[in-house]
Amino acid sequence: MKTSRLLAVLVGGVFCLAVMSLYRMLELMQGAELQQHRETPVGRMDDGLSHLQQKIDKLERLLSDNNRLVATLRDSLLHRKASWGTGGGGGNVSSDSAHSRAETLPGCRLAEEMKDRTDRVQLLDVYDLLAFDNPDGGAWKQGFEIRYQGNEWDEQPLELFLVPHSHNDPGWLKTFDRYYQDQTKHILDNMLIKLTEDSRRKMIWAEISYFSKWWDDIDEQKREMVKRLVGAGQLELVTGGWVMADEANSHYFALLDQLIEGHQWMQRHLGVKPSSGWAVDPFGHSPSMTYLLKGAGLRDMVIQRVHYAVKKHFAQQQTLEFLWRQSWDSSPRSDITCHMMPFYSYDVPHTCGPHPAVCCQFDFHRLPGGRVFCPWRIPPRPITEQNVQERALLLLDQYRQKSRLFRSPVLLVPLGDDFRFVESSEWDAQFTNYQKLFDYFDQHPELHIKARFGTLSDYFKALHRHVDAAGRSLPTLSGDFFTYADRDDHYWSGYFTSRPFYKRLDRVLEAALRASEILFSLMLAEMRRFRGDGRLVADFPAREHFRRLTAGRRSLALFQHHDAVTGTARDPVVVDYGTRLFHSILNLRQVLQSSAHWLLLLDKSEFHHNQSKPLLQMDDVIAAQDALPQKTSLELSDEPRSLIVFNPTEQLRTSVVSVVIDSPDARVVDAETGRPMAAQISAVWAEPSRASTEAFQLDFVAELPPLSLVVYHVTKASVGSAYRAQYTFHRRGNPPTVQTEHFQVSRPQGPEAGAPLSLSNKHVQIWSSPETGLLQKLRLQSGLVRQIQVQFLWYGTRTRRNQDKSGAYLFLPEDEGAQLYSSSEPPLVRVSRGPVFSEITSCFRHFTHRVRLYHLDGHAGKSLEISNTVDIRSEVNRELTMRLISSVASGNRFYTDLNGFQIQQRRTLSKLPLQANFYPMSSASFLQDSVSRMSLLSAQSQAVASLRPGELEVVLDRRLQQDDNRGLGQGVTDNKLTASLFHLLLEDRKGGAQEVGGASVEHLSLLAHLTSLSLCHPPITMVAPSDSRLPKLRPFLPLRSSLPCDVHLLNLRTLEDAKEADVPSQEVALLLHRKGFDCSSAPEPPLQCTWSMHEEVNLDDLFSPLQFRAVRRSGLTLLREDDEPESAQQQQPPRIARLRPMEISAFRVEIN
């Protein structure tokens, strides 16, 4: 009794303290806001006030630091209150249980067992169930014999929709432009003529990249015809994405961005929005894509490339149509109706029914005399009065067999293939012959079939009508459809890594685009506020920059195509994609440089745009589309050289900024306060043991407020005044000759030479092999120790004659699996130690591997940075992997991210071949047991596996001499010098970390989310000229404090003006993603950002001192018809928005 009273008093006391803290915080914030309003300059600033302005800004930042401190205190008190309230509620709660609950972070997501909460099907459980034995199914080789009585349709006739389509890859065997000129243009030209000839004809089209290019080529009269066809329902644009995106390697930022680009184009030019998704060629399917489609307003979707054993199982269960739900969602909010095509392919032989030799006879493009024929050697025949009955009944038999795989009498039959309907004659052959068959069905009601041309919307409307009338609902399913196999043991896990150079470049462009979007939007808002009349400064090239942003969006969007980011296009096409990515990065840098220039100027009247000689330059140069970036060497003198660092993240961060300078002695200060920054000088290694005498690496610790531009001054310093890194070299049996003038070098002798190499900071200690430099063990400050051994391995491919071999798509390794990497020469191992970072670099023949520890207080010091530079151009049919072997007791389970959006549990199954146990990893993978978690965070996508407990391996590059018979017609031999970057994070797991059975839903920890954010969005460094006449620059600090730890600013994307093309509007798309994070690891010491268990957030507080003139919630692609109604709009602050964990929220805002 006394205990409960004491607890009540304690809780009451803490509650009062929390309320007082909240009250004080609000008071401070109100005061700060008033201060902000008073300080806002009106019109142009007077030079005499600039000094006072700086003082006030400094005071404002001190206030914001105070606010952050109070907010942290508040949340920690609320957290304690919640914990005590939970733990002390009943007399029978054990102390262990109370302790574990007290450790739980507010707002986190507990690992959940999904199996018992709902009757939904979990794909993980389906994989456990299936034998994967692949017996011969007869005519439907991968299926089974389908039987029917013939009277099944007597009461409800078969309702058939034949959906004409052409699958147009925006680049594969030819470039995007070549395909457009040779095929796509003619398809769309003929579509206009042939659909207009007969109102019963229909067609669907998916790729807006092609459709928009064609639209630009046609005249106004033809555009009106297109609008009429769309309005009449004869032409339907499906999915509405810029491309039919890959769903394995693409990051969710880019997946959503290409949807926005396509949907915005459709709205602007056609006034329509898509309602159905069509993904018939991506090599496996992700629920992240379905989440984005549902959020963009789509209700239904079609998928095709699913493992043949899964298709067969679903067909047997009649569950090929289902509601696809997010694993983490217990409500039906995220459900989307999905139709899985049952057979091998989306071509005509595999879509009318189970017998391809029969279906091929109804692909009238293959009539004798043409270029395309039926491989089963029974050609199609034109439909005549003499043969129509026999032909119609043969086709009807296929339709009926296919229909038995579904629960409703509504049947979808696609009619098309790659680049179909190019010639006018094909349109006539297909539409005329099918119309004769349909007419015959209509004339014979005893056949009980109503057949017609249709679109996806036609089909799904009929399906929903039947399902609703029957009073049934479709089954619910969760999970993903990786890894795909189309036949035998041919698993498509090779493309998870193919062309890794471009997979990395994809993410470099993505980061550059997001940074440019945000800075450009902030700059426009600031410029309008500065002018006071809502207009832009005349000399600023806003329109040109908006065009560059649009081109950047479209280059990134095009590269999400399922033959681009996948690495499965021909060599010249890859060069074309690479050139587009490269030019877009260069163009976006111009947007960043100009925007930063204007924002940093103290006197805005000094702004002059000079494209040939911008005020700010990037600190590195990318020489070509296939080259890695190289740092530019900065010339230092006694005059301060200005460095501008942009933090593109929404969090205050401590980052190490690295530049190359021409002097071994330098000093860095914060330009505003004059405070010196911790720095170290390291060698630039021209060769593994030869240091450059002209260039030196300067690394300094920068404190970067969220979304800020901060100015630093670098000057030449007196000799020996800067801390220089110290080096130790190791090489077994052959000590290297080291050439360096400016750095202290030692070579260990005697017992010291054989001792493990060790590095440590205040969070982590690591031990590595003195012979290879590769990691062996890791210990946390908490005392947790884990063996974590790094190995490199080679995979070969199958060698026996007539055996299929690995190629761009397929991974078909030798039976013996991987071989440990060995080299005739022992590696050179270089250890560097300094106050900012210490690192171990291992120089092998085919790769350079580096492990770095940062000596930082914040979360940046808790992970290990791992980078590899790989060159396997000398190899034949080999794949290089990096494997981590740990003592984490993970069993056969591991976790990978899907598109950087969510985490999917994986199970390594011995009944599957080795290549089937590799999965895509866009940005994260982890292993865990009840007391620890090891996370590998990645800056690029690649294949990952956990072939044995405690192991995690990633494929770094693949070089394959032959085609793998999937249509590409070549191997993968265009390898480059390729960089890959990772962070390795070991964490304690605390309260509530017991193992969860079944298909559990897990999340990254808060620390892993923030580490991944820093890894994917590094600070951007720009350099001002070494000129004493440089205009006065002042830092730009748009936010008073960080966003909550679990709220990610996905984008701040300026929208196009509704009336004038290529002109930025005052409206901005604000996209926020509230991350789900794991409860079992609370970072110590607590993070600087705050978080909350509440779903409602105050947007005005979140972005203070930025002010929104208008805020309107919308769909994920910002279509006007998806905007919330005017009546629901919150016109005045505070504007409260609901941000649910895991969900992305989109708002149409005007920044005041």
Side-chain angles (χ1 to χ4, degrees):
M1 196 66 185
K2 278 184 178 173
T3 313
S4 60
R5 265 201 208 120
L6 181 63
L7 273 169
V9 170
L10 271 170
V11 168
V14 170
F15 179 72
C16 290
L17 187 57
V19 169
M20 286 167 68
S21 300
L22 275 166
Y23 178 76
R24 175 69 181 137
M25 191 193 79
L26 287 168
E27 192 178 53
L28 278 168
M29 285 174 73
Q30 273 184 323
E33 274 178 25
L34 285 169
Q35 184 85 344
Q36 165 73 18
H37 292 315
R38 280 191 220 111
E39 289 165 10
T40 302
V42 180
R44 299 188 180 278
M45 280 185 298
D46 190 38
D47 280 351
L49 290 172
S50 66
H51 186 65
L52 179 62
Q53 180 74 37
Q54 286 174 2
K55 293 271 186 191
I56 292 171
D57 285 350
K58 198 169 171 185
L59 180 63
E60 195 175 83
R61 272 201 305 288
L62 287 169
L63 273 169
S64 79
D65 288 344
N66 194 27
N67 288 343
R68 191 159 49 242
L69 188 67
V70 174
T72 308
L73 178 65
R74 171 202 62 186
D75 269 12
S76 108
L77 284 167
L78 285 172
H79 162 209
R80 285 284 171 218
K81 174 172 156 269
S83 308
W84 289 347
T86 323
N92 61 352
V93 177
S94 74
S95 60
D96 278 353
S97 164
H99 172 72
S100 74
R101 285 177 189 174
E103 292 292 335
T104 299
L105 295 160
C108 68
R109 309 273 285 176
L110 288 161
E112 292 163 299
E113 167 77 76
M114 302 304 293
K115 212 175 357 185
D116 302 326
R117 300 192 314 163
T118 170
D119 58 357
R120 74 173 101 168
V121 175
Q122 276 289 344
L123 271 162
L124 276 170
D125 297 333
V126 172
Y127 266 59
D128 278 346
L129 193 71
L130 297 180
F132 294 98
D133 51 356
N134 195 19
D136 190 329
W140 177 16
K141 199 168 171 53
Q142 296 170 332
F144 47 88
E145 191 181 340
I146 306 169
R147 292 191 174 91
Y148 62 87
Q149 303 298 316
N151 60 357
E152 288 88 343
W153 299 273
D154 288 359
E155 290 187 15
Q156 284 195 316
L158 187 59
E159 196 174 348
L160 177 125
F161 293 91
L162 188 71
V163 179
H165 72 98
S166 175
H167 178 65
N168 286 45
D169 291 302
W172 181 37
L173 308 179
K174 301 179 186 178
T175 63
F176 172 77
D177 289 331
R178 191 77 262 152
Y179 267 140
Y180 175 74
Q181 290 300 333
D182 293 354
Q183 281 128 303
T184 307
K185 188 169 118 178
H186 307 299
I187 297 167
L188 291 168
D189 284 343
N190 282 318
M191 176 269 296
L192 212 50
I193 298 161
K194 295 298 175 182
L195 292 188
T196 308
E197 284 176 3
D198 187 338
S199 62
R200 294 172 297 180
R201 294 177 179 180
K202 305 270 181 113
M203 192 183 193
I204 61 168
W205 186 270
E207 299 82 8
I208 301 300
S209 50
Y210 276 134
F211 203 86
S212 64
K213 187 172 174 66
W214 175 69
W215 180 269
D216 290 343
D217 280 357
I218 60 175
D219 59 30
E220 204 52 51
Q221 185 184 355
K222 286 180 178 171
R223 289 178 180 180
E224 288 305 316
M225 287 168 72
V226 172
K227 288 177 186 173
R228 279 199 298 277
L229 289 171
V230 169
Q234 281 185 263
L235 172 65
E236 182 183 9
L237 296 174
V238 289
T239 308
W242 202 245
V243 295
M244 188 185 290
D246 170 53
E247 299 180 27
N249 303 286
S250 293
H251 192 265
Y252 78 107
F253 174 96
L255 284 176
L256 179 54
D257 216 55
Q258 65 88 29
L259 274 181
I260 293 173
E261 198 58 34
H263 287 197
Q264 291 281 323
W265 188 93
M266 283 175 66
Q267 181 184 61
R268 184 179 190 91
H269 297 281
L270 299 172
V272 295
K273 60 174 278 191
S275 62
S276 306
W278 175 255
V280 292
D281 203 26
F283 325 135
H285 295 281
S286 166
S288 307
M289 190 67 185
T290 70
Y291 175 80
L292 298 176
L293 293 177
K294 183 68 188 284
L298 279 73
R299 284 188 57 194
D300 312 293
M301 63 184 296
V302 174
I303 60 173
Q304 152 57 24
R305 289 198 186 268
V306 171
H307 194 298
Y308 59 86
V310 176
K311 286 192 173 204
K312 178 180 173 179
H313 174 76
F314 277 42
Q316 287 167 330
Q317 305 288 318
Q318 287 190 315
T319 53
L320 288 161
E321 289 178 323
F322 52 87
L323 299 173
W324 196 347
R325 181 173 297 177
Q326 299 302 312
S327 299
W328 42 266
D329 196 353
S330 54
S331 76
R333 199 168 47 243
S334 64
D335 290 5
I336 190 166
T337 304
C338 184
H339 170 103
M340 182 193 294
M341 292 163 64
F343 307 123
Y344 175 75
S345 173
Y346 53 82
D347 62 5
V348 182
H350 296 96
T351 47
C352 90
H355 203 318
V358 174
C359 290
C360 197
Q361 297 171 51
F362 295 90
D363 183 356
F364 297 103
H365 182 51
R366 301 179 196 241
L367 285 165
R371 290 194 303 273
V372 196
F373 61 92
C374 284
W376 297 272
R377 304 204 175 161
I378 312 169
R381 284 182 273 158
I383 305 301
T384 64
E385 281 184 31
Q386 290 71 35
N387 70 10
V388 66
Q389 180 180 1
E390 177 264 331
R391 296 275 93 191
L393 294 177
L394 182 65
L395 182 60
L396 178 60
D397 173 54
Q398 289 300 304
Y399 287 166
R400 284 176 167 179
Q401 286 189 55
K402 182 176 181 178
S403 173
R404 297 303 294 145
L405 306 180
F406 297 89
R407 296 185 184 186
S408 91
V410 185
L411 189 63
L412 169 68
V413 177
L415 176 72
D417 201 346
D418 291 0
F419 294 96
R420 279 304 189 88
F421 299 100
V422 177
E423 286 122 11
S424 173
S425 57
E426 184 182 352
W427 289 85
D428 294 335
Q430 301 283 32
F431 282 97
T432 308
N433 285 298
Y434 268 106
Q435 193 60 57
K436 288 175 182 174
L437 292 164
F438 295 168
D439 291 344
Y440 180 84
F441 292 146
D442 284 347
Q443 289 153 17
H444 293 82
E446 72 279 6
L447 297 177
H448 301 290
I449 178 170
K450 168 67 180 164
R452 56 190 177 276
F453 296 112
T455 63
L456 288 192
S457 288
D458 296 335
Y459 169 73
F460 280 114
K461 269 180 206 149
L463 173 68
H464 289 303
R465 193 172 64 244
H466 272 275
V467 169
D468 293 346
R472 290 199 308 262
S473 64
L474 295 172
T476 306
L477 173 139
S478 285
D480 71 328
F481 292 102
F482 293 112
T483 291
Y484 168 60
D486 58 349
R487 59 176 185 257
D488 306 322
D489 61 353
H490 292 191
Y491 284 83
W492 295 43
S493 45
Y495 85 92
F496 299 156
T497 303
S498 295
R499 268 66 177 251
F501 180 90
Y502 294 100
K503 285 177 166 65
R504 180 84 191 95
L505 192 62
D506 164 64
R507 299 287 281 278
V508 171
L509 173 57
E510 181 180 301
L513 177 62
R514 179 183 167 277
S516 307
E517 296 271 23
I518 291 170
L519 203 60
F520 183 74
S521 296
L522 291 173
M523 183 276 307
L524 291 185
E526 180 65 17
M527 192 177 278
R528 290 186 177 108
R529 184 200 61 75
F530 167 74
R531 277 195 50 121
D533 58 3
R535 293 166 65 192
L536 301 178
V537 173
D539 188 33
F540 191 84
R543 196 169 187 158
E544 290 87 335
H545 284 334
F546 189 69
R547 282 200 197 103
R548 290 185 178 103
L549 280 172
T550 303
R553 294 165 181 174
R554 293 180 175 183
S555 292
L556 182 67
L558 187 70
F559 197 65
Q560 304 319 301
H561 163 54
H562 58 262
D563 284 307
V565 69
T566 52
T568 55
R570 285 202 177 153
D571 291 350
V573 181
V574 171
V575 171
D576 182 62
Y577 287 135
T579 304
R580 290 168 186 269
L581 298 178
F582 169 58
H583 286 150
S584 289
I585 291 168
L586 299 185
N587 280 329
L588 291 170
R589 287 178 161 200
Q590 289 189 45
V591 179
L592 276 169
Q593 288 158 196
S594 272
S595 302
H597 178 183
W598 198 88
L599 287 167
L600 288 162
L601 279 177
L602 186 62
D603 181 356
K604 306 298 187 194
S605 65
E606 292 187 32
F607 180 83
H608 297 293
H609 175 65
N610 182 348
Q611 192 175 325
S612 60
K613 197 182 173 190
L615 177 78
L616 305 179
Q617 298 277 10
M618 291 297 160
D619 73 323
D620 66 359
V621 170
I622 308 173
Q625 59 89 21
D626 58 354
L628 292 174
Q630 298 293 325
K631 292 278 186 185
T632 315
S633 183
L634 306 183
E635 293 176 16
L636 297 188
S637 66
D638 296 338
E639 283 289 318
R641 189 83 193 260
S642 292
L643 288 184
I644 290 85
V645 184
F646 175 50
N647 173 11
T649 74
E650 63 280 355
Q651 299 297 331
L652 168 72
R653 67 200 270 185
T654 305
S655 293
V656 172
V657 174
S658 183
V659 290
V660 171
I661 55 176
D662 66 348
S663 163
D665 298 287
R667 184 167 176 268
V668 186
V669 299
D670 182 308
E672 196 192 12
T673 63
R675 181 166 65 96
M677 313 309 293
Q680 84 181 46
I681 307 284
S682 308
V684 170
W685 296 96
E687 292 169 22
S689 60
R690 182 172 68 82
S692 167
T693 53
E694 275 107 51
F696 305 88
Q697 185 175 313
L698 165 66
D699 293 86
F700 65 94
V701 179
E703 289 283 331
L704 304 171
L707 306 182
S708 63
L709 289 159
V710 182
V711 186
Y712 294 96
H713 284 161
V714 189
T715 47
K716 206 167 187 171
S718 56
V719 176
S721 61
Y723 191 99
R724 295 185 194 178
Q726 297 178 346
Y727 292 93
T728 313
F729 281 79
H730 301 251
R731 185 159 63 196
R732 183 168 47 83
N734 181 14
T737 304
V738 182
Q739 298 173 38
T740 175
E741 284 178 30
H742 301 279
F743 296 91
Q744 185 184 326
V745 173
S746 63
R747 292 174 192 79
Q749 307 291 326
E752 193 193 343
L757 308 176
S758 180
L759 300 178
S760 63
N761 62 17
K762 60 175 68 173
H763 309 292
V764 186
Q765 183 171 10
I766 64 165
W767 290 268
S768 293
S769 157
E771 295 190 352
T772 63
L774 300 180
L775 183 67
Q776 292 180 325
K777 191 167 68 172
L778 197 151
R779 183 173 69 82
L780 298 184
Q781 187 189 22
S782 64
L784 177 73
V785 178
R786 282 285 176 266
Q787 303 294 324
I788 303 179
Q789 188 184 351
V790 172
Q791 291 181 344
F792 287 83
L793 304 106
W794 288 118
Y795 282 96
T797 189
R798 295 172 180 180
T799 50
R800 289 201 292 277
R801 280 182 67 125
N802 303 322
Q803 264 194 323
D804 291 292
K805 294 179 171 59
S806 298
Y809 302 92
L810 304 183
F811 178 35
L812 295 170
E814 295 166 301
D815 294 340
E816 61 265 32
Q819 305 296 310
L820 198 60
Y821 180 91
S822 64
S823 177
S824 54
E825 284 267 307
L828 177 93
V829 179
R830 188 174 68 229
V831 183
S832 157
R833 289 184 170 86
V836 174
F837 69 84
S838 298
E839 65 182 16
I840 300 171
T841 305
S842 305
C843 304
F844 291 85
R845 185 183 155 206
H846 296 95
F847 58 90
T848 300
H849 171 77
R850 191 190 75 203
V851 171
R852 179 181 284 189
L853 261 187
Y854 289 104
H855 302 293
L856 298 172
D857 293 340
H859 66 265
K862 294 189 176 186
S863 59
L864 208 56
E865 185 180 275
I866 297 176
S867 67
N868 299 307
T869 310
V870 173
D871 188 352
I872 60 167
R873 285 175 286 191
S874 60
E875 298 308 293
V876 173
N877 275 333
R878 280 182 132 183
E879 312 195 23
L880 184 68
T881 73
M882 178 177 75
R883 182 181 287 173
L884 306 176
I885 303 172
S886 79
S887 52
V888 177
S890 56
N892 77 329
R893 296 181 184 198
F894 70 112
Y895 300 84
T896 69
D897 74 316
L898 285 167
N899 317 98
F901 177 67
Q902 59 187 314
I903 296 294
Q904 175 66 49
Q905 187 191 111
R906 306 291 183 195
R907 295 177 193 163
T908 301
L909 300 175
S910 56
K911 64 185 172 184
L912 292 175
L914 180 144
Q915 62 269 24
N917 286 303
F918 278 79
Y919 291 94
M921 163 187 173
S922 299
S923 64
S925 182
F926 63 82
L927 305 171
Q928 65 186 20
D929 54 27
S930 58
V931 293
S932 62
R933 177 185 281 189
M934 181 182 81
S935 304
L936 186 67
L937 307 167
S938 172
Q940 62 287 314
S941 56
Q942 61 266 302
V944 65
S946 176
L947 299 179
R948 281 176 287 277
E951 291 188 5
L952 206 55
E953 75 178 76
V954 290
V955 185
L956 298 175
D957 201 357
R958 36 200 332 259
R959 183 172 177 84
L960 302 154
Q961 266 51 36
Q962 61 285 313
D963 182 44
D964 51 8
N965 300 309
R966 293 305 182 276
L968 182 60
Q970 65 157 74
V972 183
T973 54
D974 57 349
N975 305 72
K976 322 270 181 246
L977 183 66
T978 298
S980 56
L981 186 62
F982 306 91
H983 273 242
L984 180 65
L985 190 60
L986 181 66
E987 293 175 280
D988 292 289
R989 297 185 78 216
K990 296 175 186 167
Q994 70 275 13
E995 287 303 296
V996 178
S1000 67
V1001 175
E1002 292 277 359
H1003 304 277
L1004 288 179
S1005 68
L1006 209 46
L1007 187 56
H1009 275 308
L1010 292 172
T1011 306
S1012 181
L1013 180 70
S1014 298
L1015 179 63
C1016 295
H1017 300 285
I1020 293 166
T1021 307
M1022 290 169 271
V1023 187
S1026 49
D1027 189 343
S1028 54
R1029 290 165 302 175
L1030 192 68
K1032 179 76 177 144
L1033 306 179
R1034 58 180 288 232
F1036 173 67
L1037 308 164
L1039 299 186
R1040 182 166 288 129
S1041 59
S1042 296
L1043 265 58
C1045 303
D1046 56 339
V1047 176
H1048 172 47
L1049 175 61
L1050 187 59
N1051 208 348
L1052 198 62
R1053 183 190 212 259
T1054 295
L1055 297 170
E1056 189 178 28
D1057 189 89
K1059 297 187 179 69
E1060 207 175 344
D1062 296 332
V1063 170
S1065 75
Q1066 296 202 16
E1067 289 186 323
V1068 176
L1070 168 64
L1071 292 155
L1072 297 175
H1073 179 200
R1074 185 161 195 176
K1075 309 255 184 171
F1077 63 94
D1078 175 58
C1079 290
S1080 66
S1081 55
E1084 291 292 335
L1087 298 163
Q1088 286 179 302
C1089 50
T1090 62
W1091 58 90
S1092 161
M1093 61 184 75
H1094 304 297
E1095 291 186 350
E1096 283 76 23
V1097 300
N1098 181 334
L1099 290 178
D1100 297 283
D1101 278 358
L1102 219 56
F1103 288 94
S1104 171
L1106 288 180
Q1107 293 173 347
F1108 299 125
R1109 186 162 61 236
V1111 175
R1112 199 165 176 182
R1113 192 181 272 274
S1114 190
L1116 293 187
T1117 53
L1118 284 297
L1119 297 181
R1120 292 207 175 272
E1121 61 189 274
D1122 293 337
D1123 288 356
E1124 66 180 0
E1126 290 272 359
S1127 56
Q1129 254 185 284
Q1130 302 169 63
Q1131 299 293 340
Q1132 297 299 322
R1135 296 181 180 88
I1136 307 300
R1138 189 173 187 183
L1139 305 181
R1140 293 187 179 97
M1142 291 301 300
E1143 302 262 18
I1144 301 171
S1145 300
F1147 304 90
R1148 185 190 299 280
V1149 303
E1150 287 181 40
I1151 305 172
N1152 199 5

